[in-house]
Amino acid sequence: MNPFTRWLRGAPSSNPVDRRNAPFIQLILLFFGIFVPINKAIFLYAVSTGQAARPGFLQLSADLATDALLIASAWVALWCIRRGRFRQGVALFLFVASICVGLAYASVGLARVGLDPIPLLLLSLAGLVMGRRTLWLMLGALAAMLLACVALDMVRAGAGAPATTIGKAISIGGIWLIIALVLDRTVAALRDSLEESEQRSRALEQAYARLEDEIAERERTREQLIHSQKMDLAGRLASGLAHDFDNVLSVILGYAQQRNRLLADGGGPALASVLERVELAARRAMAISRKLLNFSRLDISQPETFDAGAVLQELQPMLRQLLGPEVQLTLQRPEAALPVHMDKGNFELTILNIAGNSRDALPGKGTFRLVALRDDAAGLFRLVLSDDGPGIPEPIRTSVFMPFFTTKPKGEGTGLGLSVVRDIVVEAGGDISVECPPAGGTSVGIALPLASIAG
């Protein structure tokens, strides 16, 4: 955009329609403010050198006066527009220009008026820029001016207006009326279209606002649902954690009861050794409890890039607590990093949720396996979580990710666990599937896009 165009569009206005009309109106005003004096100067030069016929004094005076008024009104109107008074500036120019037309017609006589585009321009500006009311006011002003010119010609003629004057007035007035009618219908159609567009725009804004509220509410519901799933899993983990704490407390209590005997027998080194084992057990219980507290917090999802393999390694103590002592846990992962970009807590929730379902499906003893792979060709991190339980029957396999679908007895499951897991995986740009091999068991496959280590 060149500086001149930027200047034209820089006219201040609170009305969006006036702001769109401002560049074009300013060009018209600049035309009258610059072209008219240049044209008049050339005309006066031609008259002074004898290259053009010299008009009468009255006609020349009226011509110079109307041009001066027109030029002055154009510059004043332009100044008003640049000061943010768009409508006042246009109204001033239309008012002065209509007076100039009347003076010009009166000075030469209506019969001698040729095809003049100025009144048509004034009608167009009044209708399209200022509105229908201003259009008809302008037509009325021009019609009054036309009648005044007819009366003036009658006075000049002395014995009634010549037929040419009356015919010219009817012709000019008829043209102005037709133009006004066309503009009136056009402006009415444009304003109707604008009102319909504004109504649709307001309806869209209201619909968009409702959609934003629904999205925000859905996000809040989703966060609450994820938190409820975390709390459900935390409740399962708590029983195993309480068992670990019970073991730790039993060890501490047992050695505390033997302290006097150990010291009396000179068992200082033995006491120190067992206290080290007590400390290790206590630290392990503390680590699990802190992990459980962090996991069960209500946090807003915050995607980050992390090594999924390292997180799986860190999750092993919690998985063992969740699965119980009768279920064997195995983890296979490559030495290479497995970077993914998603909320870390949601990733942990996904693993624990699937592990919890496997524990419920296993009849007593069993094995839960995690196999993590890096598929560089496809740019994916693949994770397979499987168990050797009874599997999922074919008729219900396609329904396991549906909200509120569960095969557990009433009161023992919400049917939201795998639905939440699917939403988490899909939101991270991944995919999840369930397979039940003929040999038995259930295998859940998760594929997530590999991310850059740099994040």
Side-chain angles (χ1 to χ4, degrees):
M1 184 186 299
N2 58 60
F4 180 65
T5 303
R6 189 161 49 247
W7 180 82
L8 289 175
R9 294 184 177 181
S13 176
S14 58
N15 188 308
V17 177
D18 292 346
R19 193 161 52 248
R20 286 194 293 268
N21 288 329
F24 172 68
I25 297 299
Q26 290 177 96
L27 283 176
I28 292 178
L29 295 175
L30 287 172
F31 172 80
F32 280 100
I34 297 173
F35 175 77
V36 172
I38 293 176
N39 181 64
K40 190 54 61 180
I42 294 174
F43 171 74
L44 292 175
Y45 174 78
V47 169
S48 65
T49 57
Q51 300 179 39
R54 186 180 186 86
F57 176 76
L58 179 61
Q59 181 180 350
L60 181 60
S61 299
D63 191 24
L64 291 175
T66 54
D67 284 351
L69 282 174
L70 198 60
I71 294 167
S73 66
W75 286 111
V76 173
L78 183 63
W79 180 85
C80 290
I81 292 175
R82 300 305 299 182
R83 293 299 180 274
R85 296 192 287 272
F86 177 85
R87 290 188 165 266
Q88 293 90 328
V90 176
L92 172 66
F93 177 75
L94 292 176
F95 175 74
V96 174
S98 62
I99 293 176
C100 292
V101 170
L103 291 175
Y105 284 12
S107 65
V108 300
L110 200 59
R112 299 176 58 187
V113 173
L115 180 62
D116 186 8
I118 299 300
L120 303 181
L121 175 63
L122 299 181
L123 288 171
S124 300
L125 291 179
L128 296 175
V129 177
M130 301 296 288
R132 299 172 65 190
R133 182 173 179 272
T134 306
L135 167 65
W136 291 109
L137 287 175
M138 176 58 64
L139 180 63
L142 292 175
M145 176 270 298
L146 203 60
L147 292 174
C149 289
V150 170
L152 183 60
D153 283 358
M154 289 174 62
V155 173
R156 287 172 179 168
T164 54
T165 299
I166 297 176
K168 194 63 170 287
I170 294 175
S171 175
I172 293 174
I175 292 174
W176 290 351
L177 178 60
I178 292 174
I179 295 299
L181 288 172
V182 172
L183 287 172
D184 181 76
R185 290 298 86 203
T186 302
V187 170
L190 288 174
R191 290 191 176 274
D192 289 343
S193 299
L194 180 60
E195 288 179 2
E196 292 177 2
S197 176
E198 289 179 347
Q199 290 176 358
R200 287 195 294 268
S201 177
R202 286 192 294 269
L204 286 174
E205 288 178 357
Q206 294 172 357
Y208 180 72
R210 289 195 300 270
L211 181 60
E212 282 189 325
D213 292 340
E214 290 174 2
I215 291 174
E217 182 62 29
R218 182 182 182 276
E219 188 62 25
R220 286 192 295 269
T221 303
R222 177 180 174 277
E223 295 295 339
Q224 292 171 359
L225 179 59
I226 289 176
H227 181 61
S228 68
Q229 289 294 307
K230 287 183 177 181
M231 296 305 295
D232 178 59
L233 287 168
R236 301 190 198 181
L237 289 166
S239 60
L241 186 60
H243 182 266
D244 261 14
F245 273 116
D246 187 57
N247 290 338
V248 171
L249 292 174
S250 297
V251 170
I252 294 173
L253 181 60
Y255 282 112
Q257 292 173 344
Q258 299 178 36
R259 64 186 182 280
N260 294 330
R261 180 180 60 79
L262 291 173
L263 288 173
D265 294 342
L271 181 60
S273 175
V274 296
L275 287 177
E276 286 180 2
R277 290 196 292 271
V278 169
E279 180 183 2
L280 290 175
R283 287 184 181 277
R284 177 172 174 268
M286 288 175 62
I288 295 176
S289 65
R290 286 173 183 169
K291 184 72 173 177
L292 179 60
L293 290 173
N294 290 334
F295 173 74
S296 60
R297 286 187 307 178
L298 176 58
D299 291 331
I300 302 299
S301 296
Q302 295 181 346
E304 60 179 301
T305 300
F306 58 89
D307 184 359
V311 172
L312 291 173
Q313 190 71 35
E314 295 171 1
L315 271 178
Q316 286 191 91
M318 291 183 69
L319 286 170
R320 289 194 177 92
Q321 294 292 335
L322 179 64
L323 294 169
E326 301 298 323
V327 178
Q328 183 181 357
L329 171 67
T330 64
L331 169 64
Q332 298 178 23
R333 67 182 186 95
E335 293 296 329
L338 300 170
V340 295
H341 186 77
M342 62 183 296
D343 184 85
K344 188 175 179 180
N346 288 350
F347 179 76
E348 294 173 343
L349 173 61
T350 297
I351 306 305
L352 292 171
N353 232 326
I354 296 173
N357 283 344
S358 292
R359 185 200 68 175
D360 295 339
L362 288 171
K365 296 182 179 181
T367 303
F368 182 72
R369 305 176 186 84
L370 297 97
V371 179
L373 302 171
R374 181 184 176 109
D375 188 350
D376 289 306
L380 295 173
F381 156 65
R382 299 187 184 276
L383 177 63
V384 179
L385 306 98
S386 60
D387 60 56
D388 51 6
I392 303 174
E394 179 66 30
I396 66 173
R397 198 176 302 165
T398 57
S399 305
V400 293
F401 294 116
M402 292 177 59
F404 306 108
F405 177 83
T406 180
T407 58
K408 297 176 183 178
K410 185 176 181 180
E412 295 186 15
T414 62
L416 292 173
L418 289 178
S419 175
V420 170
V421 167
R422 181 201 57 188
D423 290 345
I424 290 173
V425 172
V426 171
E427 184 182 18
D431 185 43
I432 184 169
S433 61
V434 175
E435 296 180 2
C436 294
T442 303
S443 176
V444 179
I446 295 176
L448 292 168
L450 284 171
S452 169
I453 301 251

